[in-house]
Amino acid sequence: MTLHDIQSLLAEQRTKLQTHPLYSILTSRQNVARFMEYHVWAVWDFMSLLKALQQHLTCTTTPWVPVGDAETRFLINEIVVGEESDVNRHGVRMSHFEMYLDAMQEVGGSTAAIEAFVDVLRSGVDVASAMKYVGAPQASQDFVSFTMDVISGGKAHEIASVFTYGREEIIPTMFLGILDSLEHNEGSRFSDLRYYLERHVEVDGGHHGPLAERMVELLCADHEQRYEEVAAIAKRALEHRIALWDAVAQECRTGLLV
């Protein structure tokens, strides 16, 4: 099996995401804000996937010793720098997660639950309990639960697969089109959200995406079983993403969102 084979095996789930009815519902500031209140949890747990990979592939403790292959160390450290300490549109250093929080506030989304969640985590509460405590949407809890299960499973190639194939990829490009329509209808410009999306298109497509795929390839090496596990876990990750989108779309249809 090759990386091309994996992409082919994921074609059905990728098509479902690319054509999901949710996108046609996000036509108002209120709906986009509510969507972001669901999606921010996926932005947060992406950072957890990132740090789990860094822990697997590099030495993050003292005393330092060389860990693994130098190329995989370079790949994950390069991605960490970009995701954890990029610059926002004002040139201020921050993580992509923190950029997303700024974009949520600009659109009118509430960051109270996710910020309370981070505070609770700092006190030592586990992820699942913290999400319940702050009242995270159930669909978001389910999505994050899958991610944390993958992390706790401890297989570096599976974590890399979810990181590489199960996350944003095509989504920022699609949402730029939604943002164009929203800004036209609202008569205002959402500069922080636009910058976040455009930055993801630039960084993920032109840099982090190829690095991540190379990382998967190196971790699988010549082990056919690893390639099969990569494909299987990536498919599950995309199905969880579709389920998250389904939940937001259902809220819109039942009139809970205006």
PDB file of all heavy atoms in Angstrom, residues 22-32 178 181-183 185-186 252 258:
ATOM      1  N   LEU A  22     -24.134  21.108   5.417  1.00  0.00           N
ATOM      2  CA  LEU A  22     -23.879  22.144   6.419  1.00  0.00           C
ATOM      3  C   LEU A  22     -23.460  23.460   5.775  1.00  0.00           C
ATOM      4  O   LEU A  22     -23.875  24.538   6.212  1.00  0.00           O
ATOM      5  CB  LEU A  22     -22.785  21.669   7.386  1.00  0.00           C
ATOM      6  CG  LEU A  22     -22.237  22.719   8.367  1.00  0.00           C
ATOM      7  CD1 LEU A  22     -23.322  23.166   9.349  1.00  0.00           C
ATOM      8  CD2 LEU A  22     -21.029  22.176   9.116  1.00  0.00           C
ATOM      9  N   TYR A  23     -22.633  23.376   4.741  1.00  0.00           N
ATOM     10  CA  TYR A  23     -22.067  24.595   4.165  1.00  0.00           C
ATOM     11  C   TYR A  23     -23.144  25.544   3.642  1.00  0.00           C
ATOM     12  O   TYR A  23     -23.004  26.759   3.730  1.00  0.00           O
ATOM     13  CB  TYR A  23     -21.075  24.248   3.052  1.00  0.00           C
ATOM     14  CG  TYR A  23     -20.016  23.259   3.483  1.00  0.00           C
ATOM     15  CD1 TYR A  23     -19.792  22.089   2.762  1.00  0.00           C
ATOM     16  CD2 TYR A  23     -19.248  23.473   4.623  1.00  0.00           C
ATOM     17  CE1 TYR A  23     -18.835  21.169   3.159  1.00  0.00           C
ATOM     18  CE2 TYR A  23     -18.289  22.563   5.030  1.00  0.00           C
ATOM     19  CZ  TYR A  23     -18.085  21.403   4.292  1.00  0.00           C
ATOM     20  OH  TYR A  23     -17.143  20.493   4.692  1.00  0.00           O
ATOM     21  N   SER A  24     -24.215  24.973   3.101  1.00  0.00           N
ATOM     22  CA  SER A  24     -25.274  25.815   2.532  1.00  0.00           C
ATOM     23  C   SER A  24     -26.132  26.464   3.618  1.00  0.00           C
ATOM     24  O   SER A  24     -26.926  27.365   3.331  1.00  0.00           O
ATOM     25  CB  SER A  24     -26.166  24.984   1.607  1.00  0.00           C
ATOM     26  OG  SER A  24     -26.847  23.967   2.342  1.00  0.00           O
ATOM     27  N   ILE A  25     -25.982  26.012   4.859  1.00  0.00           N
ATOM     28  CA  ILE A  25     -26.769  26.544   5.972  1.00  0.00           C
ATOM     29  C   ILE A  25     -26.062  27.720   6.644  1.00  0.00           C
ATOM     30  O   ILE A  25     -26.693  28.555   7.289  1.00  0.00           O
ATOM     31  CB  ILE A  25     -27.052  25.420   6.999  1.00  0.00           C
ATOM     32  CG1 ILE A  25     -27.843  24.288   6.354  1.00  0.00           C
ATOM     33  CG2 ILE A  25     -27.793  25.941   8.216  1.00  0.00           C
ATOM     34  CD1 ILE A  25     -27.975  23.048   7.228  1.00  0.00           C
ATOM     35  N   LEU A  26     -24.764  27.794   6.477  1.00  0.00           N
ATOM     36  CA  LEU A  26     -23.979  28.823   7.169  1.00  0.00           C
ATOM     37  C   LEU A  26     -24.056  30.145   6.406  1.00  0.00           C
ATOM     38  O   LEU A  26     -23.083  30.604   5.804  1.00  0.00           O
ATOM     39  CB  LEU A  26     -22.531  28.352   7.327  1.00  0.00           C
ATOM     40  CG  LEU A  26     -22.353  27.075   8.143  1.00  0.00           C
ATOM     41  CD1 LEU A  26     -20.883  26.694   8.212  1.00  0.00           C
ATOM     42  CD2 LEU A  26     -22.937  27.214   9.540  1.00  0.00           C
ATOM     43  N   THR A  27     -25.228  30.751   6.451  1.00  0.00           N
ATOM     44  CA  THR A  27     -25.486  31.963   5.674  1.00  0.00           C
ATOM     45  C   THR A  27     -25.688  33.202   6.545  1.00  0.00           C
ATOM     46  O   THR A  27     -25.990  34.268   6.019  1.00  0.00           O
ATOM     47  CB  THR A  27     -26.729  31.764   4.795  1.00  0.00           C
ATOM     48  OG1 THR A  27     -27.835  31.398   5.632  1.00  0.00           O
ATOM     49  CG2 THR A  27     -26.494  30.677   3.751  1.00  0.00           C
ATOM     50  N   SER A  28     -25.547  33.059   7.852  1.00  0.00           N
ATOM     51  CA  SER A  28     -25.690  34.208   8.741  1.00  0.00           C
ATOM     52  C   SER A  28     -24.561  34.207   9.758  1.00  0.00           C
ATOM     53  O   SER A  28     -23.947  33.176  10.037  1.00  0.00           O
ATOM     54  CB  SER A  28     -27.030  34.159   9.488  1.00  0.00           C
ATOM     55  OG  SER A  28     -27.026  33.113  10.438  1.00  0.00           O
ATOM     56  N   ARG A  29     -24.307  35.390  10.306  1.00  0.00           N
ATOM     57  CA  ARG A  29     -23.284  35.510  11.345  1.00  0.00           C
ATOM     58  C   ARG A  29     -23.595  34.575  12.518  1.00  0.00           C
ATOM     59  O   ARG A  29     -22.695  33.934  13.078  1.00  0.00           O
ATOM     60  CB  ARG A  29     -23.225  36.961  11.832  1.00  0.00           C
ATOM     61  CG  ARG A  29     -22.196  37.211  12.927  1.00  0.00           C
ATOM     62  CD  ARG A  29     -22.480  38.515  13.644  1.00  0.00           C
ATOM     63  NE  ARG A  29     -22.271  39.674  12.806  1.00  0.00           N
ATOM     64  CZ  ARG A  29     -21.220  40.476  12.890  1.00  0.00           C
ATOM     65  NH1 ARG A  29     -20.281  40.237  13.786  1.00  0.00           N
ATOM     66  NH2 ARG A  29     -21.117  41.535  12.116  1.00  0.00           N
ATOM     67  N   GLN A  30     -24.878  34.479  12.899  1.00  0.00           N
ATOM     68  CA  GLN A  30     -25.259  33.657  14.048  1.00  0.00           C
ATOM     69  C   GLN A  30     -24.936  32.175  13.806  1.00  0.00           C
ATOM     70  O   GLN A  30     -24.440  31.485  14.704  1.00  0.00           O
ATOM     71  CB  GLN A  30     -26.754  33.819  14.345  1.00  0.00           C
ATOM     72  CG  GLN A  30     -27.133  35.213  14.834  1.00  0.00           C
ATOM     73  CD  GLN A  30     -27.518  36.137  13.697  1.00  0.00           C
ATOM     74  OE1 GLN A  30     -27.128  35.921  12.536  1.00  0.00           O
ATOM     75  NE2 GLN A  30     -28.293  37.168  14.009  1.00  0.00           N
ATOM     76  N   ASN A  31     -25.226  31.695  12.608  1.00  0.00           N
ATOM     77  CA  ASN A  31     -24.971  30.283  12.326  1.00  0.00           C
ATOM     78  C   ASN A  31     -23.473  29.991  12.254  1.00  0.00           C
ATOM     79  O   ASN A  31     -23.016  28.943  12.717  1.00  0.00           O
ATOM     80  CB  ASN A  31     -25.656  29.879  11.031  1.00  0.00           C
ATOM     81  CG  ASN A  31     -27.152  29.662  11.206  1.00  0.00           C
ATOM     82  OD1 ASN A  31     -27.687  29.836  12.307  1.00  0.00           O
ATOM     83  ND2 ASN A  31     -27.826  29.302  10.141  1.00  0.00           N
ATOM     84  N   VAL A  32     -22.712  30.897  11.673  1.00  0.00           N
ATOM     85  CA  VAL A  32     -21.267  30.706  11.617  1.00  0.00           C
ATOM     86  C   VAL A  32     -20.684  30.725  13.032  1.00  0.00           C
ATOM     87  O   VAL A  32     -19.828  29.906  13.375  1.00  0.00           O
ATOM     88  CB  VAL A  32     -20.604  31.780  10.737  1.00  0.00           C
ATOM     89  CG1 VAL A  32     -19.084  31.724  10.863  1.00  0.00           C
ATOM     90  CG2 VAL A  32     -21.016  31.583   9.276  1.00  0.00           C
ATOM     91  N   ILE A 178     -17.763  30.699   1.890  1.00  0.00           N
ATOM     92  CA  ILE A 178     -18.854  31.038   2.803  1.00  0.00           C
ATOM     93  C   ILE A 178     -18.618  32.430   3.393  1.00  0.00           C
ATOM     94  O   ILE A 178     -19.539  33.240   3.514  1.00  0.00           O
ATOM     95  CB  ILE A 178     -18.953  29.984   3.923  1.00  0.00           C
ATOM     96  CG1 ILE A 178     -19.418  28.641   3.338  1.00  0.00           C
ATOM     97  CG2 ILE A 178     -19.901  30.451   5.036  1.00  0.00           C
ATOM     98  CD1 ILE A 178     -19.357  27.497   4.325  1.00  0.00           C
ATOM     99  N   SER A 181     -19.564  35.285   1.062  1.00  0.00           N
ATOM    100  CA  SER A 181     -21.009  35.507   1.034  1.00  0.00           C
ATOM    101  C   SER A 181     -21.479  36.194   2.310  1.00  0.00           C
ATOM    102  O   SER A 181     -22.290  37.133   2.278  1.00  0.00           O
ATOM    103  CB  SER A 181     -21.739  34.175   0.855  1.00  0.00           C
ATOM    104  OG  SER A 181     -23.132  34.346   0.940  1.00  0.00           O
ATOM    105  N   LEU A 182     -20.951  35.750   3.455  1.00  0.00           N
ATOM    106  CA  LEU A 182     -21.363  36.310   4.740  1.00  0.00           C
ATOM    107  C   LEU A 182     -20.990  37.782   4.834  1.00  0.00           C
ATOM    108  O   LEU A 182     -21.794  38.614   5.263  1.00  0.00           O
ATOM    109  CB  LEU A 182     -20.706  35.520   5.876  1.00  0.00           C
ATOM    110  CG  LEU A 182     -21.042  35.951   7.301  1.00  0.00           C
ATOM    111  CD1 LEU A 182     -22.522  35.759   7.581  1.00  0.00           C
ATOM    112  CD2 LEU A 182     -20.211  35.154   8.307  1.00  0.00           C
ATOM    113  N   GLU A 183     -19.779  38.121   4.416  1.00  0.00           N
ATOM    114  CA  GLU A 183     -19.340  39.516   4.491  1.00  0.00           C
ATOM    115  C   GLU A 183     -20.193  40.401   3.574  1.00  0.00           C
ATOM    116  O   GLU A 183     -20.527  41.533   3.928  1.00  0.00           O
ATOM    117  CB  GLU A 183     -17.863  39.609   4.106  1.00  0.00           C
ATOM    118  CG  GLU A 183     -16.932  39.066   5.174  1.00  0.00           C
ATOM    119  CD  GLU A 183     -15.470  39.133   4.791  1.00  0.00           C
ATOM    120  OE1 GLU A 183     -15.166  39.159   3.585  1.00  0.00           O
ATOM    121  OE2 GLU A 183     -14.617  39.164   5.707  1.00  0.00           O
ATOM    122  N   ASN A 185     -23.373  39.820   2.736  1.00  0.00           N
ATOM    123  CA  ASN A 185     -24.710  39.950   3.313  1.00  0.00           C
ATOM    124  C   ASN A 185     -24.720  40.810   4.577  1.00  0.00           C
ATOM    125  O   ASN A 185     -25.676  41.548   4.830  1.00  0.00           O
ATOM    126  CB  ASN A 185     -25.288  38.562   3.634  1.00  0.00           C
ATOM    127  CG  ASN A 185     -25.561  37.751   2.389  1.00  0.00           C
ATOM    128  OD1 ASN A 185     -25.778  38.301   1.315  1.00  0.00           O
ATOM    129  ND2 ASN A 185     -25.526  36.427   2.512  1.00  0.00           N
ATOM    130  N   GLU A 186     -23.667  40.697   5.375  1.00  0.00           N
ATOM    131  CA  GLU A 186     -23.612  41.408   6.648  1.00  0.00           C
ATOM    132  C   GLU A 186     -23.097  42.840   6.484  1.00  0.00           C
ATOM    133  O   GLU A 186     -23.269  43.679   7.364  1.00  0.00           O
ATOM    134  CB  GLU A 186     -22.706  40.662   7.636  1.00  0.00           C
ATOM    135  CG  GLU A 186     -23.230  39.301   8.056  1.00  0.00           C
ATOM    136  CD  GLU A 186     -24.266  39.386   9.161  1.00  0.00           C
ATOM    137  OE1 GLU A 186     -24.371  40.444   9.801  1.00  0.00           O
ATOM    138  OE2 GLU A 186     -24.978  38.389   9.375  1.00  0.00           O
ATOM    139  N   CYS A 252     -29.349  23.470  13.022  1.00  0.00           N
ATOM    140  CA  CYS A 252     -29.860  24.514  12.135  1.00  0.00           C
ATOM    141  C   CYS A 252     -31.260  24.150  11.621  1.00  0.00           C
ATOM    142  O   CYS A 252     -32.169  24.988  11.616  1.00  0.00           O
ATOM    143  CB  CYS A 252     -28.919  24.694  10.947  1.00  0.00           C
ATOM    144  SG  CYS A 252     -27.311  25.362  11.372  1.00  0.00           S
ATOM    145  N   VAL A 258     -30.670  30.417  14.243  1.00  0.00           N
ATOM    146  CA  VAL A 258     -31.468  31.309  13.394  1.00  0.00           C
ATOM    147  C   VAL A 258     -30.667  31.736  12.171  1.00  0.00           C
ATOM    148  O   VAL A 258     -29.474  31.616  12.139  1.00  0.00           O
ATOM    149  CB  VAL A 258     -31.918  32.554  14.185  1.00  0.00           C
ATOM    150  CG1 VAL A 258     -32.832  32.136  15.305  1.00  0.00           C
ATOM    151  CG2 VAL A 258     -30.720  33.323  14.732  1.00  0.00           C
TER     152      VAL A 258
END
